[in-house]
Amino acid sequence: MNLLAHPELLELLAASHALGTLRGGARRRFETLAREQAPVRAAALVWQGRLAGMTELQQPVTPDPAVWTRIRNLIDAEQAQQALARQRDAATPITAPATTTGGWLRSLALWRGAAAAGALVAVLAVGVGLNLREQLINAPAVQYVAVLSDDKAAASMLVTFDPKKKQLVLQRVGNFREGTDKSLQLWALPPGGAPRSLGVLDNAPALRLAASESDVRVPALAISLEPKGGVPSAGGPTGPVLFHGPLIEKTL
């Protein structure tokens, strides 16, 4: 299934992945797609950020011991099911009809995961005393999104653009930390033109930079390591480019 052709399903699956309700083979397939396709990876990271923000509103609560017992039982049951499935696969000859059925079952698993995500999001909203629908309506609009990765394809920075507030929002998702004498600088990479500075980053896990849509209407972004305080835009990056990635326009 091409998730990019089904944006609503992609959002539900990304939410399910962040909540932990997408399990087994469906979860592994979604993570494979996320590694291979930047829009899927971006959707997963956006939902992780949304749910992490919700937990910050609540006081820490120590779970009842019965909760851990139920989790252990669920894990044991899933592992037992996987073991039985492997035994059946090893004993069943591979035929053409089985391939068709397998494809249908894989799609069914994805849809079940999406349905579970929708249900659990609603339960979570009630549990934390929030109206999730209202929260999502009031959440920042996202018109452009980019996942900036290093040369090993490890995601390091999630960048979104909110056209209503005319802001770039940057969230660190990797472990890189620049030294006290260095700064990270964000660059727009226009086609056939010189890199253009969009701002210098501080050490905060999340950062907002003022920007207009014309600033971000470019195919890609990059982050370089520069001297403390950054360098003038006219000269372009002077240090190594650490992270880069395509900038994807989303439907509002």
Side-chain angles (χ1 to χ4, degrees):
M1 177 180 293
N2 181 11
L3 287 181
L4 303 185
H6 303 276
E8 292 184 0
L9 177 59
L10 173 58
E11 290 295 309
L12 285 173
L13 289 171
S16 179
H17 181 268
L19 288 165
T21 59
L22 194 64
R23 300 175 181 171
R27 186 178 186 88
R28 291 190 294 273
R29 283 187 289 277
F30 181 81
E31 290 174 347
T32 298
L33 288 174
R35 287 191 293 269
E36 297 173 349
Q37 301 180 20
V40 178
R41 185 161 64 250
L45 289 171
V46 167
W47 268 101
Q48 289 171 15
R50 283 174 177 169
L51 295 178
M54 291 178 66
T55 61
E56 293 173 359
L57 301 175
Q58 303 304 306
Q59 294 295 327
V61 177
T62 301
D64 187 275
V67 174
W68 297 114
T69 301
R70 291 178 60 189
I71 292 174
R72 182 71 261 171
N73 290 340
L74 287 171
I75 293 173
D76 291 343
E78 184 170 349
Q79 290 177 343
Q81 289 177 351
Q82 291 174 351
L84 287 173
R86 286 193 295 267
Q87 291 176 3
R88 286 196 298 268
D89 291 343
T92 303
I94 300 176
T95 62
T99 302
T100 303
T101 303
W104 181 82
L105 288 174
R106 284 194 292 271
S107 296
L108 179 61
L110 288 174
W111 280 106
R112 284 175 173 170
L120 191 52
V121 164
V123 172
L124 181 62
V126 174
V128 300
L130 296 175
N131 186 323
L132 187 63
R133 178 178 176 81
E134 181 179 346
Q135 183 193 17
L136 294 180
I137 290 174
N138 295 328
V142 174
Q143 184 172 357
Y144 294 92
V145 61
V147 179
L148 307 187
S149 305
D150 60 19
D151 56 1
K152 296 181 180 178
S156 296
M157 191 79 67
L158 174 66
V159 184
T160 55
F161 174 67
D162 181 354
K164 294 180 180 179
K165 297 182 179 179
K166 295 183 178 180
Q167 282 184 339
L168 281 168
V169 181
L170 294 89
Q171 296 174 273
R172 294 179 187 246
V173 294
N175 297 321
F176 180 85
R177 293 295 179 269
E178 63 275 22
T180 56
D181 61 336
K182 299 289 185 180
S183 291
L184 295 180
Q185 192 160 353
L186 179 66
W187 301 87
L189 305 179
R196 184 176 67 252
S197 176
L198 295 177
V200 179
L201 285 57
D202 59 25
N203 292 319
L207 175 68
R208 288 172 171 79
L209 299 173
S212 66
E213 185 174 351
S214 61
D215 292 329
V216 298
R217 197 178 288 136
V218 293
L221 300 176
I223 291 178
S224 64
L225 183 65
E226 303 293 348
K228 190 69 175 179
V231 296
S233 180
T238 63
V241 174
L242 302 179
F243 316 120
H244 58 87
L247 189 62
I248 303 160
E249 185 172 6
K250 296 187 66 178
T251 302
L252 294 175

